[in-house]
Amino acid sequence: MRVLLIGANGYIGRFVADRLLADPAVQLTALGRGDDADVRFDLSTGSPGALTRFLDAVHPGVVVNCAGATRGGARELARHNTVAVATVCEALRRSGCGARLVQIGCSSEYGPSQPGSSTAEDAVPRPGGPYGVSKLAATELVLGSGLDAVVLRVFSPAGPGTPAGSPLGRLAEAMRRAMQSGDGELRLGGLGVQRDFVDVRDVARAVHAASLSAAQGVINIGSGRAVRLRDAAATLARVAGYGGALHELDAPPGALRPAIGHPRAESVGHRVESLLHQRTESLGLHRPDSPGHRGDHRADAEHAAPVAHPYPDGCGGWQQADVRTARDRLGWRPRINLEESLADIWMEAACRI
C-alpha cells in the first residue's frame, strides 16, 4: 500500500510516520515544507494542479494529512488549516489515483461541552475560537468533497514530543525550573479545566487503522475520560519526584491544593526518577537532593511565573470524547494511560536540567 503522508515533521505526523514505517506492507512518501521531506511542497501556497501532478506520478492508495497550524492569527490559521485542506481535496478530485483521505481534525471543532457529558460525532459543532473554526471548515470541506475520506477528531494529545508551549508541556517546564532552582512551590493558573488526554502513539495507531479501513465521516479519537488539569499536575509531580506546594492562582476559596506528589512515591514516577538520576550522574550533572534544596543558582521569585489560562482552545471547562465509533468502526481502543504519557513528557523535560 502506497501512503502519502503530509505533515510528517509535526507533533502527530512524526508518530504517524513511525507507525506506518513499521508496517512492512506500507510504502511511505513524506510531503512537506521541510528539507527532510521526500518531496517539498507547501499546501498553504501550492496550487492544486501541482499537487495533482504529483499524485498522478506517485499514485498513492491513501493520503494522510497531519499538516496544519495550532497558533497564529485567524488569517494564518485559515491559510494553513482550511485553504491547505481545500488544496488537498481539489487535487484528489482532479487526480486519477483514487486515493483515500485520512484527515486529522481536532476536538476544538466541537467547542464547549456540558460538564459530565461525552461528546459524540453527531454533536453540533460550536467552536469557540479561530483555531476550532479553521479546523471545522477543513472538516466540512473533506466531508463535502465526495472523496473516500475520514476525519479523525483528536482530543488532547499527550506523550513524548509534547510541544513545550502546550499546557502539559508548560506544566513540565515549570516543574523542571522549580526543581532545578530548589523552589518549594509552584504558582499556576487554569488547573480547573478538564480535558480528554490521549497518547500521541495511540493517535498514530488510530491513523494506521483508519488508513486500512473503509470507515467514512467523523470519528473521535480520545481516551473517553476527562481529567482535571490539576490532577494531571499532581501525577506529573509524582512522576517527577517533586514534593513542593502547588498554588492555584484562580482557585475558588478553600480549593487550594498546597502539596502535590511525593518524592519517594512507588510508581512509574519513582522508576523514572531513578533512571534520570543515573543519567545525570553519568553525565556529571548536578540535581537537587530534595525539593527543598536551595542552591547557589536560585533564580528570583519571578522565575515561577504563573501558567495562566493554559487552555485557550475555546472549549470551556470540560471535554470528554465518546469513543464508541472508533471502537466499532476502526477496532481501536487507547492503550497508553496518562501516567505513562506524563512520564515521557517529564523524561524529556528533565533531560534539560
Side-chain angles (χ1 to χ4, degrees), residues 71 157 162-171 310:
R71 289 178 175 79
T162 293
S166 70
L168 292 180
R170 286 199 292 266
L171 277 176

Side-chain angles (χ1 to χ4, degrees), residues 232-254:
T235 301
L236 185 63
R238 188 173 69 251
V239 163
Y242 177 73
L246 170 66
H247 294 292
E248 295 184 52
L249 299 179
D250 48 4

Side-chain angles (χ1 to χ4, degrees), residues 29 82 94 101 150 153 180 182 196 202 225 235 288 302 312 316 350:
T29 300
T82 309
R94 296 182 186 180
L101 174 61
V150 62
R153 275 192 179 141
Q180 187 171 19
D196 186 326
D202 281 332
R225 182 173 70 96
T235 301
E302 285 77 8

Side-chain angles (χ1 to χ4, degrees), residues 35-317:
D35 292 335
D36 51 352
D38 296 323
V39 178
R40 292 191 64 182
F41 188 85
D42 188 342
L43 285 179
S44 64
T45 58
S47 70
L51 184 57
T52 298
R53 289 190 292 274
F54 176 73
L55 290 171
D56 288 338
V58 175
H59 213 77
V62 178
V63 174
V64 177
N65 183 25
C66 296
T70 57
R71 289 178 175 79
R75 178 176 296 180
E76 184 178 6
L77 291 169
R79 184 160 59 90
H80 289 286
N81 295 337
T82 309
V83 174
V85 172
T87 297
V88 173
C89 290
E90 181 60 25
L92 283 169
R93 278 196 297 263
R94 296 182 186 180
S95 172
C97 69
R100 171 174 172 77
L101 174 61
V102 179
Q103 166 71 18
I104 303 301
C106 72
S107 61
S108 293
E109 299 174 42
Y110 288 120
S113 302
Q114 186 70 24
S117 67
S118 293
T119 302
E121 290 84 357
D122 59 358
V124 177
R126 294 186 176 88
Y131 172 64
V133 170
S134 69
K135 293 293 288 185
L136 177 61
T139 291
E140 294 300 331
L141 286 171
V142 172
L143 298 180
S145 66
L147 300 169
D148 174 13
V150 62
V151 178
L152 302 183
R153 275 192 179 141
V154 178
F155 276 63
S156 298
T162 293
S166 70
L168 292 180
R170 286 199 292 266
L171 277 176
E173 178 61 15
M175 206 162 289
R176 180 195 70 81
R177 289 177 180 271
M179 293 182 70
Q180 187 171 19
S181 64
D183 242 8
E185 67 175 27
L186 281 173
R187 295 176 294 134
L188 304 168
L191 299 185
V193 299
Q194 298 182 68
R195 289 293 182 268
D196 186 326
F197 297 105
V198 57
D199 193 274
V200 66
R201 292 160 291 193
D202 281 332
V203 175
R205 287 180 42 247
V207 173
H208 187 201
S211 300
L212 299 173
S213 79
Q216 295 186 343
V218 174
I219 300 178
N220 289 340
I221 303 299
S223 69
R225 182 173 70 96
V227 174
R228 197 178 300 274
L229 192 58
R230 179 189 303 121
D231 297 330
T235 301
L236 185 63
R238 188 173 69 251
V239 163
Y242 177 73
L246 170 66
H247 294 292
E248 295 184 52
L249 299 179
D250 48 4
L256 284 179
R257 305 291 180 92
I260 55 175
H262 191 284
R264 301 192 183 280
E266 290 297 331
S267 64
V268 171
H270 183 63
R271 296 192 295 273
V272 170
E273 179 68 11
S274 298
L275 289 172
L276 290 173
H277 179 73
Q278 295 169 12
R279 176 179 174 84
T280 52
E281 287 293 320
S282 67
L283 294 174
L285 301 176
H286 173 71
R287 297 185 68 204
D289 292 331
S290 69
H293 174 80
R294 306 290 181 179
D296 294 335
H297 301 286
R298 174 176 168 83
D300 294 336
E302 285 77 8
H303 88 277
V307 182
H309 309 295
Y311 264 99
D313 57 4
C315 294

